[in-house]
Amino acid sequence: MVDNNSPNKFIPYLREDRLPHIFCAGCGNGTIINAFLKGMENAGMDFDNIAMVSGIGCSSRIPGYMKCDSLHTTHGRALSFATGLKVSNPNLDVVVFTGDGDAASIGGNHLIHAARKNVNLTVICINNNIYGMTGGQISPTSPKESFATTAPYGSKDYPFKLAELVATAGATYSARWTTLQVENLIGSIKKGFENDGFSFIEVVSQCPTYYGRKNKIRTPTAMALTMKNNTIFKFEADKMKEKDIIGKIVVGEFVNKQHPEYSDNIQKLSKENFGDNTLINSAYEVLK
Amino acid sequence: MRVEIRIGGFGGQGVIMAGIILGKAASLFDKKEAVQTQSYGPEARGGASKCEVIISDKTIDFPKVQHPDILVAMSNEALIKYIVDLKDDGTLIIDPGTTDISNVQDYINEHNITVYQSPATQTAVDDIGLKIVANIIMIGSIVKITNIISKKSAIKAIETSVPKGTEEKNIQAFEAGYNLV
Amino acid sequence: MEVVKISEKFFIQGNEACAKGALKAGCRLFAGYPITPSTEIAESLARDLPKVGGSFIQMEDEIASAGAIIGGSWGGTKSMTATSGPGFSLMQENIGYAFITETPIVLIDVQRGSPSTGQPTMAAQGDMMQARWGSHGDYEPIALSPSSVQEFFDFTIQAFNLSEKYRTPVFVMADEVIGHMREKIIIKDDIEIIPRIMPNKDESYLPFKNIENGTNPMPSFGEGFDIHVTGLTHDEKGYPDTNDPITHTKLVKRLCDKVLNNKDDICSIEAEDTEDADIVVISYGAPVRSVITAVKKAQKEGKKVGYIKINTPWPFPDKQIKKLASNAKEIIVVEMNLGQIYYEVDRIMKCQANIHLMGGIGGLLPNPDEILDKINKIGGI
């Protein structure tokens, strides 16, 4: 599949006829796509069996560039579409790309319920702490006192901690990394694919165009440095006082456990009580 | 001939089931048409329960009961509340164990209503030993009094509606009700 | 005489008949959220879908329910949801998504008194215009309205067939009366079921092509088509192309035209005694039952009156109505709202007849005697 002569070894996974992409220079999406594809390869996944679902926002545009079946849905609702898709055809490896606004604000309810149900989805949540697509508004993960076009005097709200929230809601795998811990991120994406359940990988990412500009961290390098200086590992954070963690990016794994999976449960219920009648692509048949 | 029946009682007596069985017997086994409706919402929660059935030889267009030809009252509240809707010269069937006819005697006389008494609840307890079959006993009485569905179809409808394993007890209850009036 | 082979008959609620229709049509995925007066549809399918290898999923809300059935449909499974007004409102954004992505799904709305929470256990037809215009933008919906328990069964199957045939969401706009009442249904064993057609896997296949009849075959995910499905304005391949006025116009016009150009196939109405009637009463859904009762009484009294029963309120069957009511001087529209389909009838018929609205809210089925009074009043003598 991979052609070593191509400028980037992951090019064959992309819809080349859609390039160039719309992402800004310095955006974290490129790093994340690379890490995603590497993690996927490391997990030994069959790319042809992957279906991607996304909502609305910069991160949700990623599936549109990937050469696989992709469902670019409504704002915040990707997880509900993905749940239906996975239940409809449990053989598919369903990946969801989402962002902080998409997953945690408008889609917050779907997020906790998909986690609670432990639907076998690999969710990559790109958290850049701002609404990029609409031009830099405050998001539910924006740090307190950060600036945005809708928080011109600094945000007074407390941000969500997504990886922790999803772990608490019932996900069987949840981790957070930044775009600087690429190897850890690749490892978590691999684990996400391997986990037979709801896997949530939050990637704290840089948006120099909006977050950087609004918060006077204008270059990608400056953003990377700020992220790096703010990052602490979970094992360190566990030993720290809560007030000392405020404003820090805690990275690591928040849950990694086994738990019966949603679409398996549905199939099992049917098979155990009524025999094996399940049929993939049943819409194409006249059923008796 | 279009016949409108209203069955009123309180929750747990099985008045809805009684109406479904009548409708089922008429439409599936008697080659007649039937529509069954019931009250929903707050009215159905407060303990009162109402079920209506229309049975006809012809297509039933308007599906709601406005003025029943037959009122079956299994609670005193239902008797008082619904008797005013009963047609003149209509039929009233009551369970004397759960209703007091003296409250509505004047109305019965003025409107020339024919009254039948079926002590369904008492028979259920004393003869069958199961209070919950009072509704099936009442069906037996309704069938005998009104002849609106055949006995054979009523039995078939009961057999295919009650929980498996309880068919015999229910048929026994139906027969008891049939012989009560 | 043609002998109709009857395979099964039941005395059941409209909502249960709807569930049976869905199963018969090949529905193998239901996603929904409990809401009166539609809940029995979900309850029936929660019981019966596992028996045939299907999936019942209760979602966190109606937005998620609509999303899940769209995802389910792209997964290769005929998918449905059922709701009532408040849930139908929540679903509107994803309904628009299903239109622009040409996703076959079936949505049942068992209408209740509204606006807002309104009258959960009472009947209404207040969502008819929401079915028409509820999501933002231009689109042409297909909607069916059953007037009996048998029709709730039949129309649910028809909804699936139409949704597959035209690759579009289809609504069944029922009401509390039809949803909750029990009647006999007969399930014949020669019911036509339209399956989805898998496209041929060749280079020239375009999932959103501007073809003559408007409807392209639809692949499912996982079959190697690498299809991109987006709610953004897209080109024939499915790729976003949001700034080109021509791409947008072509796409939206094709979606509208594939319904409008096939109205002869989609639209269904029934009529009695309208040819030489002075007065024609038009209705749909449960109120048809009141209308027929009233019209029969009026005819016995010697009135030249007939009725039209609209089975498919959307697309509006204007051609058929114009033809059947061509001699009417007076037209009465009976519906359980304060005037929705009335305005459609008024739009197409006002040049040739006086159009009267008998719209009732409150939750009760229109009283046949009141319709009869109206017929007598406007019928002069």
Side-chain angles (χ1 to χ4, degrees):
Chain A
M1 175 121 213
V2 175
D3 172 15
N4 289 325
N5 296 322
S6 70
N8 180 310
K9 68 171 186 150
F10 294 136
I11 285 284
Y13 292 121
L14 303 182
R15 300 181 201 272
E16 281 189 83
D17 53 354
R18 281 218 63 210
L19 299 176
H21 58 70
I22 60 163
F23 306 131
C24 307
C27 172
N29 283 3
T31 306
I32 295 164
I33 293 172
N34 276 320
F36 170 80
L37 291 169
K38 185 82 171 96
M40 181 201 76
E41 285 187 344
N42 288 356
M45 304 306 291
D46 174 8
F47 186 70
D48 291 339
N49 199 49
I50 286 178
M52 291 191 184
V53 184
S54 62
I56 296 296
C58 296
S59 52
S60 290
R61 289 298 186 97
I62 290 174
Y65 298 110
M66 309 296 260
K67 206 172 173 185
C68 65
D69 291 315
S70 47
L71 196 60
H72 177 226
T73 72
T74 49
H75 194 22
R77 319 300 174 196
L79 288 168
S80 48
F81 286 72
T83 300
L85 179 61
K86 180 69 187 173
V87 169
S88 176
N89 183 353
N91 300 340
L92 294 172
D93 297 306
V94 181
V95 172
V96 175
F97 274 93
T98 183
D100 44 318
D102 196 51
S105 190
I106 188 167
N109 199 29
H110 309 307
L111 178 65
I112 56 173
H113 281 276
R116 172 181 70 84
K117 289 173 169 175
N118 195 32
V119 190
N120 188 359
L121 305 170
T122 305
V123 182
I124 317 294
C125 177
I126 302 176
N127 176 8
N128 59 6
N129 300 311
I130 204 150
Y131 283 80
M133 187 69 85
T134 46
Q137 295 77 33
I138 207 77
S139 104
T141 59
S142 303
K144 192 166 181 292
E145 306 302 342
S146 66
F147 293 89
T149 59
T150 50
Y153 309 106
S155 171
K156 302 300 165 198
D157 299 341
Y158 286 91
F160 262 138
K161 298 172 185 175
L162 293 182
E164 291 91 328
L165 171 76
V166 170
T168 309
T172 42
Y173 185 79
S174 175
R176 176 188 296 116
W177 304 105
T178 71
T179 45
L180 302 179
Q181 290 106 20
V182 176
E183 285 306 320
N184 300 81
L185 177 58
I186 292 168
S188 277
I189 287 166
K190 177 175 180 283
K191 282 185 186 173
F193 273 115
E194 287 164 351
N195 174 40
D196 184 18
F198 192 81
S199 305
F200 185 81
I201 297 120
E202 177 185 345
V203 196
V204 178
S205 180
Q206 70 278 16
C207 173
T209 303
Y210 289 110
Y211 190 87
R213 199 194 302 166
K214 280 284 156 191
N215 290 280
K216 302 199 164 52
I217 328 169
R218 290 171 202 275
T219 65
T221 318
M223 288 211 75
L225 271 174
T226 310
M227 268 198 313
K228 192 181 172 193
N229 294 337
N230 264 328
T231 297
I232 48 172
F233 278 80
K234 186 173 177 294
F235 68 86
E236 294 172 307
D238 287 344
K239 289 178 267 178
M240 290 164 70
K241 291 190 177 129
E242 204 182 325
K243 68 174 173 57
D244 298 327
I245 303 172
I246 292 173
K248 301 285 182 199
I249 304 164
V250 180
V251 296
E253 284 182 357
F254 295 85
V255 68
N256 187 359
K257 63 180 181 186
Q258 292 299 304
H259 201 57
E261 193 271 329
Y262 188 67
S263 61
D264 274 351
N265 284 344
I266 290 173
Q267 292 228 314
K268 241 184 238 164
L269 170 86
S270 173
K271 279 181 190 166
E272 284 172 6
N273 291 291
F274 307 105
D276 190 0
N277 299 309
T278 50
L279 182 65
I280 302 301
N281 280 334
S282 62
Y284 300 83
E285 313 276 334
V286 176
L287 303 169
K288 278 290 146 217
Chain B
M1 247 286 271
R2 174 184 168 117
V3 179
E4 300 188 354
I5 307 160
R6 177 179 292 165
I7 310 172
F10 40 78
Q13 281 181 316
V15 306
I16 306 283
M17 178 56 99
I20 294 171
I21 288 171
L22 289 176
K24 194 173 178 181
S27 71
L28 297 191
F29 306 122
D30 262 354
K31 291 184 178 159
K32 290 184 178 180
E33 299 294 328
V35 180
Q36 180 269 347
T37 54
Q38 66 207 53
S39 51
Y40 279 88
E43 197 192 341
R45 300 260 185 274
S49 185
K50 182 180 80 167
C51 177
E52 296 174 334
V53 190
I54 301 167
I55 295 173
S56 176
D57 302 331
K58 288 183 284 187
T59 306
I60 297 166
D61 296 322
F62 189 65
K64 296 278 185 178
V65 166
Q66 286 171 310
H67 298 290
D69 303 277
I70 300 159
L71 172 64
V72 181
M74 293 186 69
S75 77
N76 210 41
E77 190 191 338
L79 175 64
I80 293 164
K81 192 170 171 189
Y82 299 131
I83 193 156
V84 292
D85 293 334
L86 192 57
K87 267 183 196 151
D88 286 357
D89 310 320
T91 300
L92 173 67
I93 304 173
I94 57 159
D95 182 340
T98 54
T99 55
D100 181 2
I101 199 165
S102 64
N103 293 318
V104 294
Q105 194 59 56
D106 291 347
Y107 192 90
I108 288 168
N109 297 341
E110 279 166 35
H111 296 269
N112 195 30
I113 290 160
T114 311
V115 182
Y116 296 90
Q117 306 211 357
S118 169
T121 308
Q122 199 193 331
T123 309
V125 175
D126 294 352
D127 298 356
I128 314 292
L130 267 178
K131 198 179 174 185
I132 53 160
V133 298
N135 61 337
I136 306 293
I137 294 174
M138 194 51 100
I139 293 171
S141 301
I142 295 168
V143 170
K144 176 84 165 288
I145 294 161
T146 66
N147 211 17
I148 188 168
I149 53 169
S150 69
K151 190 177 170 184
K152 208 173 104 191
S153 297
I155 291 173
K156 259 197 201 169
I158 291 167
E159 282 172 344
T160 54
S161 302
V162 298
K164 287 229 170 343
T166 69
E167 294 92 339
E168 206 179 313
K169 269 273 188 247
N170 278 290
I171 302 303
Q172 195 189 336
F174 173 81
E175 293 286 357
Y178 195 83
N179 295 323
L180 270 180
V181 287
Chain C
M1 211 181 96
E2 193 194 356
V3 183
V4 179
K5 208 175 153 202
I6 294 170
S7 55
E8 283 179 296
K9 54 181 182 172
F10 300 94
F11 184 73
I12 50 174
Q13 280 192 318
N15 284 342
E16 296 171 299
C18 168
K20 281 192 188 298
L23 290 170
K24 187 82 192 171
C27 172
R28 290 295 178 269
L29 193 152
F30 179 96
Y33 186 82
I35 185 167
T36 307
S38 77
T39 305
E40 292 86 358
I41 299 171
E43 289 170 340
S44 298
L45 289 167
R47 202 173 50 235
D48 291 340
L49 271 169
K51 295 179 186 169
V52 293
S55 308
F56 170 86
I57 51 182
Q58 182 166 323
M59 296 302 287
E60 52 273 20
D61 57 34
E62 288 91 346
I63 302 172
S65 304
I69 62 168
I70 297 169
S73 189
W74 282 102
T77 309
K78 290 186 184 178
S79 305
M80 176 176 107
T81 189
T83 188
S84 189
F88 197 48
S89 294
L90 286 176
M91 290 179 182
Q92 291 302 325
E93 189 196 4
N94 282 343
I95 287 169
Y97 180 86
F99 273 107
I100 202 168
T101 56
E102 301 174 73
T103 309
I105 48 167
V106 171
L107 300 103
I108 313 286
D109 180 3
V110 186
Q111 296 170 86
R112 69 190 218 186
S114 51
S116 191
T117 314
Q119 300 173 289
T121 60
M122 303 294 273
Q125 293 176 305
D127 309 351
M128 298 311 296
M129 281 297 168
Q130 190 176 25
R132 177 66 189 86
W133 299 110
S135 198
H136 49 285
D138 293 295
Y139 59 97
E140 290 292 334
I142 300 175
L144 302 108
S145 279
S147 301
S148 65
V149 174
Q150 178 74 51
E151 280 188 349
F152 207 172
F153 173 84
D154 295 339
F155 287 8
T156 301
I157 296 172
Q158 179 118 24
F160 273 100
N161 283 346
L162 288 167
S163 81
E164 293 299 336
K165 195 170 177 184
Y166 295 104
R167 241 186 91 177
T168 191
V170 176
F171 306 120
V172 180
M173 302 301 291
D175 52 66
E176 189 275 340
V177 171
I178 301 302
H180 275 160
M181 73 183 194
R182 285 184 176 82
E183 284 184 312
K184 175 172 65 184
I185 66 159
I186 294 170
I187 303 180
K188 295 172 190 165
D189 62 4
D190 57 349
I191 298 170
E192 188 202 8
I193 305 296
I194 299 183
R196 202 171 290 176
I197 308 291
M198 191 72 78
N200 292 325
K201 218 178 277 176
D202 61 56
E203 288 299 311
S204 64
Y205 170 69
L206 294 168
F208 304 96
K209 198 175 175 183
N210 287 310
I211 50 170
E212 178 89 22
N213 74 8
T215 309
N216 291 286
M218 173 179 166
S220 68
F221 277 27
E223 291 297 307
F225 286 87
D226 296 340
I227 184 176
H228 184 55
V229 180
T230 177
L232 291 168
T233 291
H234 43 269
D235 62 19
E236 295 183 320
K237 219 169 174 179
Y239 290 177
D241 180 12
T242 57
N243 289 347
D244 185 346
I246 295 168
T247 304
H248 185 77
T249 308
K250 268 191 181 167
L251 171 66
V252 176
K253 282 203 74 145
R254 176 173 63 81
L255 299 189
C256 292
D257 286 347
K258 73 178 177 182
V259 171
L260 294 177
N261 292 342
N262 289 293
K263 279 175 82 167
D264 287 344
D265 177 51
I266 299 165
C267 291
S268 162
I269 70 172
E270 291 164 42
E272 286 285 340
D273 308 316
T274 54
E275 302 80 11
D276 55 351
D278 296 329
I279 304 171
V280 168
V281 190
I282 298 180
S283 194
Y284 57 95
V288 168
R289 310 283 288 251
S290 311
V291 167
I292 296 175
T293 306
V295 166
K296 281 180 181 171
K297 281 186 185 173
Q299 286 177 342
K300 269 191 192 149
E301 291 170 14
K303 294 278 185 300
K304 285 172 93 173
V305 49
Y307 70 86
I308 291 174
K309 167 182 185 295
I310 302 175
N311 293 334
T312 52
W314 309 118
F316 193 66
D318 45 2
K319 209 166 87 183
Q320 289 90 333
I321 290 174
K322 269 184 187 165
K323 193 175 160 206
L324 284 160
S326 56
N327 295 319
K329 295 177 189 74
E330 310 287 340
I331 292 174
I332 307 171
V333 181
V334 181
E335 54 185 337
M336 287 189 283
N337 54 48
L338 295 180
Q340 295 196 12
I341 295 298
Y342 160 76
Y343 289 104
E344 289 296 299
V345 176
D346 189 62
R347 179 173 63 80
I348 63 162
M349 298 300 291
K350 65 181 168 196
C351 296
Q352 58 192 86
N354 298 312
I355 321 295
H356 309 265
L357 168 67
M358 270 200 82
I361 53 171
L364 299 179
L365 203 52
N367 186 331
D369 292 336
E370 286 171 19
I371 301 170
L372 183 62
D373 284 349
K374 183 83 176 179
I375 292 170
N376 285 332
K377 218 173 276 172
I378 64 170
I381 10 106

